[in-house]
């Protein structure tokens, strides 16, 4: 896309090509970063669910043992702990969702800025090419 012509104004064509390539590379990097962040948050969600599931299973077992021993006070304490774990899980999931929304919005904003930068560079390059053509026609 980039020609070898050296425009009179706005720097060399090579500079425009490098800047455009850098903008493209930044866009690809941003996409990769966003995918990694989304994956990390999904893994965090999964780990939280698995941890909560294991804790709830253990407490459920403990509660059944206490119920079989007819220890209603101990069994109700285990039920309360299970409820607490569920509430903590919901709170953590809400926090992760909030982080996902923040990261998604920031990603979209950075992506838009990078695309705008790329468009500006492309316009600068085409302007420089036109200026070179005009210079060649008038010279």
């Amino acid at each position: 896309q980039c020609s070898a012509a050296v425009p009179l104004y706005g720097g060399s064509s090579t500079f425009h090509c490098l800047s455009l390539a850098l903008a493209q590379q930044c866009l690809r990097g941003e996409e990769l970063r966003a995918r990694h962040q989304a994956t990390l948050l999904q893994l965090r969600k999964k780990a939280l669910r698995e941890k909560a599931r294991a804790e709830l299973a253990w407490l459920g077992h403990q509660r059944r043992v206490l119920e079989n021993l007819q220890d209603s006070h101990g069994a109700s304490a285990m039920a309360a702990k299970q409820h607490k774990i569920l509430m903590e899980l919901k709170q953590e999931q809400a926090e992760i969702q909030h982080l996902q929304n923040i990261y998604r919005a920031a990603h979209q904003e950075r992506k838009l800025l990078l695309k705008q930068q790329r468009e500006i560079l492309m316009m600068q390059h085409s302007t420089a090419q036109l200026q070179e053509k005009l210079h060649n026609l008038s010279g």
Side-chain angles (χ1 to χ4, degrees):
Q1 284 184 346
C2 294
S3 70
V6 178
L8 291 176
Y9 308 102
S12 72
S13 179
T14 303
F15 174 76
H16 287 292
C17 290
L18 290 175
S19 297
L20 192 56
L22 184 59
Q24 293 292 95
Q25 184 180 5
C26 287
L27 269 170
R28 286 189 301 273
E30 176 57 35
E31 290 298 326
L32 182 62
R33 205 171 12 265
R35 282 194 305 272
H36 285 169
Q37 188 64 49
T39 301
L40 286 173
L41 288 173
Q42 289 299 332
L43 288 172
R44 184 174 166 192
K45 267 181 159 176
K46 183 179 178 182
L48 279 172
R49 282 192 308 267
E50 289 174 358
K51 178 184 175 210
R53 188 177 297 124
E55 289 175 346
L56 290 170
W58 172 250
L59 289 171
H61 171 73
Q62 294 286 60
R63 192 178 83 208
R64 285 188 297 280
V65 167
L66 291 169
E67 286 171 349
N68 288 340
L69 295 174
Q70 296 185 355
D71 181 357
S72 61
H73 180 68
S76 65
M78 291 300 128
K81 285 182 182 180
Q82 284 179 309
H83 179 73
K84 181 183 175 191
I85 288 171
L86 285 172
M87 291 299 107
E88 288 173 355
L89 175 63
K90 285 183 181 181
Q91 182 180 352
E92 286 283 336
Q93 286 176 329
E95 183 180 322
I96 291 171
Q97 185 64 46
H98 179 67
L99 287 174
Q100 283 177 321
N101 292 339
I102 288 171
Y103 290 143
R104 191 176 302 117
H107 164 66
Q108 291 300 329
E109 188 174 326
R110 286 189 302 268
K111 187 174 163 183
L112 178 63
L113 288 171
L114 288 169
K115 283 183 176 182
Q116 288 172 345
Q117 179 66 30
R118 183 184 63 190
E119 289 172 7
I120 289 168
L121 289 169
M122 288 170 56
M123 284 188 281
Q124 287 175 338
H125 179 69
S126 63
T127 301
Q129 284 181 327
L130 287 174
Q131 288 173 342
E132 178 65 20
K133 286 180 184 177
L134 283 173
H135 175 71
N136 289 339
L137 287 176
S138 64

